[in-house]
Every structure is written in C-alpha cells, then in structure tokens.
C-alpha cells in the first residue's frame, strides 16, 4: 500500500512472498504483466540486506530501476555496456548504501570485478527473472544463465526465486536442476489474462 498503492495482492503474489519470507526456494510461473516483480521487491524491502535480481533485458532493468526510484525505493543495475568505473561505483554502493535491489545481467556475474565484491554482499534473496532462459529446453536459452548456480556456493542460505511467464513441465524441471533449487514450491497462475 505504501509504495504501490494497492490494497490487495494479485493471485498467488501473497503465497509466493510468504514462501520466500520463510527462506524457501520458489518457482513462480505468472503471465507477463501478472505482477512478478512485486514478488521479489516486497521481500527485498521487508528484510535487511538487498535482493540480487538477474535479468537478461537491459531495457527492463532500466525501467524497473527508474520506476523503483520514483517510488523512493533505492535500486541500481549493472549491465555489460557500462563503463568499468560506473560498475565499480555501483558495487561499492551495494556494500555501503541503503540500496534494496541490484539488477544484474547474467553476463556480468562472470566478471572478475563483480566476483571480487560478491562475497561481501548482504543478500536477502536471489531472484532470477526470465528463468526459462536457463533451460536447454527453453525457447530463449542463454549459456550465461548456467553460471547463476555459482551464487548458491557463495550464499547457500539465501532463498532463490525463479520467475517465468512460460515454462513447460520439462523446462520447470530443468530450471530447478540448473538453479539447484531445494524443494522449491511451484506457483503457477493461469496464463490466460482476463
């Protein structure tokens, strides 16, 4: 209500958020425009630390960060086209600033600079947007997504939320394997939008 002005959640949002706040891995299949981002933004705000969002689309990251800042929520992004100094400044801000969400393209996870800062992060959630991109069976397979599971080694206790608007049963199973999800709860909304 405070940030988004809504009086109630859309279908499945509350259940997904509750599951995350119990430190459980979650796979959420919600239609485009079905309110996926609130499912990680609210847990990010509800806890100490910040949410690390992995997103493949630079324009989407920029839109999200712009929107969050307009709501007075501190957020930043890092993508492959940024200058080294800007990336370094953002990473330093993550260690010392009041930032609640950091959006990163999967390619950035491999960089030496990013991995230098990573162990110092105070993560409260790892959110993987467009999670079908991790699956060899998905229509948008991106090899860099396969490296996301490395985060689990650094942050074994941090819950993971995988989000997708489209994933067959085969892709869902592959997402769970590739992200090393632990007994993940699966929430699937109808992809029919009224």
């Amino acid at each position: 209500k405070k940030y988004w002005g809504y009086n109630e959640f859309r279908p499945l949002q509350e259940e997904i958020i509750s599951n995350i706040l119990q430190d459980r891995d979650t796979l959420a299949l919600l239609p485009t425009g079905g309110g996926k981002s609130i499912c990680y933004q609210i847990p990010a705000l509800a806890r100490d630390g910040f949410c690390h969002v992995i997103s493949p689309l630079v324009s989407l990251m920029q839109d999200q960060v712009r929107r969050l800042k307009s709501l007075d929520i501190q957020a930043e992004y890092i993508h492959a086209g940024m200058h080294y100094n800007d990336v370094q400044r953002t990473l330093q801000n993550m260690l010392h600033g009041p930032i609640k969400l950091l959006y990163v393209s999967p390619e950035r996870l491999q960089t030496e600079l990013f991995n230098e800062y990573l162990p110092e992060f105070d993560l409260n959630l790892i959110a993987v947007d467009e999670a079908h991109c991790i699956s060899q069976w998905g229509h948008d397979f991106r090899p860099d997504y396969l490296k996301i599971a490395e985060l689990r080694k650094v942050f074994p206790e941090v819950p993971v939320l995988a989000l997708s608007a489209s994933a067959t049963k085969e892709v869902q199973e592959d997402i769970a394997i590739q992200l090393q999800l632990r007994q993940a709860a699966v929430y699937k909304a109808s992809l029919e939008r009224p």
Side-chain angles (χ1 to χ4, degrees):
K1 175 79 176 159
K2 176 181 173 183
Y3 291 105
W4 289 274
Y6 300 131
N7 290 314
E8 56 191 37
F9 289 108
R10 289 187 190 171
L12 297 182
Q13 285 178 328
E14 189 170 4
E15 294 92 327
I16 292 165
I17 291 164
S18 295
N19 199 61
I20 293 164
L21 292 175
Q22 291 171 49
D23 290 324
R24 294 192 183 130
D25 289 348
T26 309
L27 174 57
L29 304 164
L30 300 173
T32 302
K36 289 192 288 291
S37 55
I38 276 184
C39 295
Y40 57 79
Q41 291 167 348
I42 289 178
L45 294 173
R47 297 177 144 179
D48 290 342
F50 68 90
C51 174
H52 182 18
V53 185
I54 295 128
S55 173
L57 304 168
V58 174
S59 60
L60 193 68
M61 289 195 278
Q62 292 170 326
D63 288 349
Q64 290 267 9
V65 168
R66 200 172 12 246
R67 169 100 172 103
L68 287 165
K69 286 181 173 180
S70 78
L71 297 173
D72 214 20
I73 297 169
Q74 296 299 314
E76 293 294 341
Y77 62 83
I78 295 174
H79 61 80
M82 286 172 68
H83 190 277
Y84 180 91
N85 293 346
D86 294 329
V87 173
Q88 189 169 36
R89 186 171 52 251
T90 301
L91 291 169
Q92 285 172 346
N93 288 343
M94 298 317 297
L95 298 181
H96 309 294
I99 297 163
K100 295 305 292 178
L101 294 115
L102 174 64
Y103 291 77
V104 179
S105 61
E107 294 80 9
R108 274 283 149 187
L109 298 176
Q110 308 340 298
T111 65
E112 204 174 302
L113 179 61
F114 187 83
N115 283 288
E116 203 178 291
Y117 282 84
L118 189 64
E120 302 301 314
F121 284 170
D122 182 15
L123 291 191
N124 59 30
L125 176 62
I126 297 165
V128 182
D129 205 5
E130 310 293 339
H132 55 270
C133 293
I134 202 171
S135 176
Q136 309 256 10
W137 312 110
H139 55 84
D140 283 337
F141 175 64
R142 293 201 23 189
D144 288 301
Y145 261 68
L146 295 172
K147 305 282 195 226
I148 296 170
E150 298 293 312
L151 291 171
R152 294 239 76 156
K153 293 177 185 164
V154 184
F155 302 101
E157 303 306 314
V158 174
V160 173
L161 168 63
L163 299 143
S164 180
S166 60
T168 62
K169 189 84 181 133
E170 193 175 36
V171 171
Q172 290 171 45
E173 288 166 5
D174 203 23
I175 288 169
I177 291 165
Q178 300 300 341
L179 290 176
Q180 299 171 17
L181 300 182
R182 297 176 303 242
Q183 299 172 330
V186 179
Y187 296 92
K188 185 172 184 176
S190 167
L191 299 182
E192 304 271 320
R193 289 182 64 196

